[in-house]
Amino acid sequence: MSAVKEMPVQQTSERSEGDSMLRTRLLQGLTVITMLAVLFGAYVALFVVGTDATQGEVQRIFYFHVSAFAAAFIGFSVGVVGGALYLWKRHEKWDALALAGIEVGFTLSLINLITGMIWARPIWNTWWTWDPRLTSAAIMCLTYAAYLMLRNGIENRELRRRFASIYGILAMSTVIFTLIIIRIRPDTIHPVVIEPQIATQGAATDAEGSFTMSVTISQTLGINSFIWSVFLPLTLIWWRVRLQNAAEHVEQLKAKLLEQ
Amino acid sequence: MPTEGIPQNAEYLYLGLVVVFGILGAYAASIFWRFRNLQKDQQLIKQLQEEDSTH
């Protein structure tokens, strides 16, 4: 971890060294807590809650699949907040926050997508089908992958930040669409497991692989979703913001060197 | 606990766990390596600045 520790996060004129050290310690502590919390959630999902009688062991993927989407949603929401604040304040720190949120959200949405495919193989007898929910989730992932690629393709920093902010805000529509599609489209086979009564009449009638949410399943999902959507995005986004700050600092040093 | 009738598909769960912790680990590792690369860049810049000042 020496590389992480030694890297200056901000110029010392802006923030005292002691303050920076304290933040590093806090982040390191939070990282340890997050790792332990994720492992605890996994332990509950794998060893405490019982095996589903109709789906078997593979049903346990559900705890990670849903939690990953909840965490990705938080990441993408941070992207929207950071983007909106950048457009308002025009301070680069908000762009760094937006980038961090979206990169973390994208990583977690990949977990959501791939675990869904793995669950589908034994339950739906296929890895992939062009179902409305699966298609919208794939579009969501591709939209954010494009964000990460496109922002690196713009040389002008100010233009890049403005473009990324607007793109990040608009891209959130794919997340909301993915979230609600199983409740409004009757032809999706993706089950509505959480509060299915909210689904409109006739929606998800073709659902395959649904199961009843018992108290222990609800509690296990609650524990995992809480850990994944609070601790994990907070820790990863904090690290990613620090990385971005460090990258900006090195860019400034490079620019100074070229000026000499 | 009776397991009769319960589908035997634990291998898919293991695959899922590999994906979950593999992606999380890979992302954490990518952050670490990017920090290391930045640190190397910074050291190189310092070295170049020192060389520049001695000439």
Side-chain angles (χ1 to χ4, degrees), chain A residues 4-59:
Chain A
V4 177
K5 262 184 180 176
E6 288 164 23
M7 200 68 215
V9 175
Q10 287 239 332
Q11 286 175 332
T12 45
S13 56
E14 275 185 39
R15 201 177 289 169
S16 72
E17 215 166 285
D19 194 22
S20 181
M21 278 296 291
L22 180 68
R23 280 166 190 267
T24 304
R25 289 269 158 81
L26 265 176
L27 181 52
Q28 285 171 344
L30 183 66
T31 305
V32 172
I33 291 169
T34 302
M35 285 165 72
L36 292 174
V38 168
L39 289 175
F40 172 73
Y43 172 78
V44 174
L46 297 174
F47 302 109
V48 177
V49 70
T51 308
D52 186 77
T54 51
Q55 294 192 12
E57 293 287 345
V58 78
Q59 184 270 339

Side-chain angles (χ1 to χ4, degrees), chain A residues 33 40 45 63 78 103 115 136 143 148 161 171 185 190 225 235:
Chain A
I33 291 169
F40 172 73
Y63 303 112
V78 169
E103 196 181 280
T115 52
S136 68
T143 304
L148 295 170
R161 288 178 186 138
R185 284 285 298 256
H190 191 288
S225 291
T235 308

Side-chain angles (χ1 to χ4, degrees), chain A residues 147-226:
Chain A
Y147 168 96
L148 295 170
M149 287 189 284
L150 288 172
R151 74 167 281 146
N152 288 332
I154 302 172
E155 282 285 313
N156 184 298
R157 283 182 180 196
E158 169 57 25
L159 184 65
R160 183 202 304 156
R161 288 178 186 138
R162 249 187 303 153
F163 166 80
S165 300
I166 294 166
Y167 190 117
I169 293 167
L170 294 177
M172 189 67 186
S173 60
T174 64
V175 183
I176 294 163
F177 189 68
T178 303
L179 193 66
I180 63 169
I181 197 163
I182 51 169
R183 298 178 190 280
I184 57 171
R185 284 285 298 256
D187 56 337
T188 177
I189 61 167
H190 191 288
V192 183
V193 180
I194 303 162
E195 297 192 31
Q197 69 275 12
I198 294 173
T200 53
Q201 269 200 335
T205 49
D206 296 335
E208 288 177 30
S210 195
F211 54 88
T212 312
M213 288 278 282
S214 67
V215 175
T216 46
I217 289 177
S218 298
Q219 285 172 343
T220 309
L221 179 65
I223 290 167
N224 274 284
S225 291
F226 177 76

